[in-house]
Amino acid sequence: MEELAPRAKSLIERGINPSLTVLLVGDDPASQVYVKNKVKACQRLGIRSTVARLPSGTPEPELLGKIDQLNADPTVHAVLVQLPLPKGYDEGRVVRRVDPAKDVDVFHPVNAGKLLLGDPGLEPCTPKGIIALLDGIGCAIAGKHAVVVGRSNIVGKPIALMLLRRHATVTVCHSRTPDLAAVTRQADILVAAVGRAGLITGDMVKPGAVVIDVGVNRVEGSKKLYGDVDFDSASRVAGAITPVPGGVGPMTIAMLMMNTLEAAEACST
Ligand code: NDP
């Protein structure tokens, strides 16, 4: 992440103070930790961060009004609504209210559409972090068979598109995929974004494959975080594998910082 410091500095020197506002509704403990980590990352780079806290019973129109206010504020370059929202909100409607130019989580249909079409624009943080990880270890993507397990709008679909754009042959698996292991065993690059602790075991991994574990799972009775990949068995077979915690999580935050800087840079041009 430190590579981003010069970009932040250059903006500040030009009189633009890059800034991210996180909207946090309610008091979900996991969300509080995620928000704290985002604020810390901003501090490390000199990005101004604000956490707008709203109590969980805040009426949705009030929340939407707050987003409108941030959209209109020229000193705010990036706006993020921390998910999940408490029950009772229309999450889709809320995240779509963020101005696409400030939508650093890349949930707005305009940004999702640009990603689909391959147009330049903000890219979602977790998939962008995965691509950066693959590039960072010198993993050639073109021509490889990439298998993505999970088809969410946040991770599975966008990483599939981004791997496709980099000329991988991409297979997307989900809960209705029969014989998952037969598919994952074909993967040169295996991305697990499921939300099931230890679903991918060593016998489901092709020897030498690069395994990216996106999962962050809590297991009852344990304080540890678990990935979607059973690290012990998979690491014996894989050529490279990301750990949980570590790996994709910190990269996601680094990419959020990058998107914030990109949004600030775009405002200044
Ligand atoms: P979702 O719950 O939105 O999607 C899960 C996907 O996994 C769905 O497409 C589902 O299929 C599929 N799935 C569920 N069970 C199986 C199964 N047994 N076999 C094959 N596919 C299955 O999750 P997210 O994409 O939001 O998140 C996935 C994981 O990644 C979670 O653990 C989350 O916490 C973590 N995460 C981590 C981030 C990070 O920064 N490290 C960022 C974002 C997420 P179907 O569509 O058919 O239901």
Side-chain angles (χ1 to χ4, degrees), residues 181 183-188 190 200-211 229-230 233-241:
V183 186
T184 59
R185 273 198 290 268
Q186 296 173 35
D188 303 307
L190 178 58
I200 307 291
T201 46
D203 57 318
M204 298 169 77
V205 175
K206 177 176 169 177
V210 175
V211 179
V229 179
D230 175 48
S233 61
S235 60
R236 279 186 230 123
V237 189
I241 182 167

Side-chain angles (χ1 to χ4, degrees), residues 126 149-152 155 174-175 193-196 214-217 248-249 252:
T126 301
V149 189
R151 56 174 165 179
S152 70
V155 190
H174 45 78
S175 66
V194 186
R196 302 270 184 282
V214 182
V216 179
N217 305 295
V248 174
T252 298

Side-chain angles (χ1 to χ4, degrees), residues 218-231:
R218 287 179 168 78
V219 172
E220 228 182 280
S222 170
K223 285 191 173 156
K224 269 176 58 181
L225 292 177
Y226 294 83
D228 290 340
V229 179
D230 175 48
F231 188 87

